[in-house]
Amino acid sequence: MLLVIISNRNTPFSYLDTTNSLSQRLREGAAVVTDPIPTVLLRKYLAYVRQAVNPRLSDEAAALLKEFYLTLREKYADDDSIPITLGQFESLVRLSQAKAKLERRDIVSVEDAHDIVDLMKESLFEVLADDMGCVDF
């Protein structure tokens, strides 16, 4: 199976653009509704990568995920906050591997880890934000 992705840099939004954070790219692209890949082809591609690609963490990506996890554990270790457990770290690793798997890469890059850290920050924002809307990451 061969999948060709054509990126048009003239469009205002590109999922392949890594100059902005993941959350910023998602917000910018929320208004753009496109269906670039037919559903049948997407299902075949996902089935293929599920079987054929098993990415490993690079040392740099592992260090970034570890640093973020330890920072969360340190800052939110008190009793009245949401518990940060090993499950969060495992989910960071799995999400990073899934992102690399979607792009058919054998190694999880630092960019993948950055995107997943941004995703985790966005998901924890509602839970960890104080009354003023401030979150201390």
Side-chain angles (χ1 to χ4, degrees), residues 88-89 129:
Q88 274 87 5
F89 180 70

Side-chain angles (χ1 to χ4, degrees), residues 26-83:
L26 289 174
R27 282 191 199 106
E28 290 171 358
V32 178
V33 179
T34 60
D35 189 15
I37 302 173
T39 306
V40 174
L41 181 62
L42 181 61
R43 287 178 194 236
K44 288 180 182 180
Y45 178 73
L46 292 176
Y48 168 74
V49 296
R50 189 174 292 139
Q51 292 176 355
V53 181
N54 294 308
R56 296 180 331 271
L57 282 176
S58 67
D59 292 338
E60 297 85 9
L64 178 71
L65 295 177
K66 178 182 171 184
E67 179 183 333
F68 176 69
Y69 170 73
L70 291 176
T71 302
L72 280 180
R73 290 272 304 176
E74 185 178 298
K75 288 187 179 187
Y76 300 104
D78 56 350
D79 292 334
D80 62 339
S81 69
I82 163 177

Side-chain angles (χ1 to χ4, degrees), residues 68 71-73 75-78 80-84 88 120-137:
F68 176 69
T71 302
L72 280 180
R73 290 272 304 176
K75 288 187 179 187
Y76 300 104
D78 56 350
D80 62 339
S81 69
I82 163 177
I84 305 297
Q88 274 87 5
M120 184 65 81
K121 285 179 181 179
E122 286 292 319
S123 69
L124 291 174
F125 180 79
E126 296 256 341
V127 176
L128 299 177
D130 60 8
D131 294 336
M132 301 294 287
C134 296
V135 176
D136 188 22
F137 282 114

Side-chain angles (χ1 to χ4, degrees), residues 5-25:
I5 298 176
I6 300 172
S7 175
N8 183 358
R9 290 292 187 181
N10 296 330
T11 59
F13 175 77
S14 173
Y15 288 101
L16 302 175
D17 178 23
T18 59
T19 58
N20 297 326
S21 69
L22 177 65
S23 58
Q24 190 174 20
R25 292 187 316 234

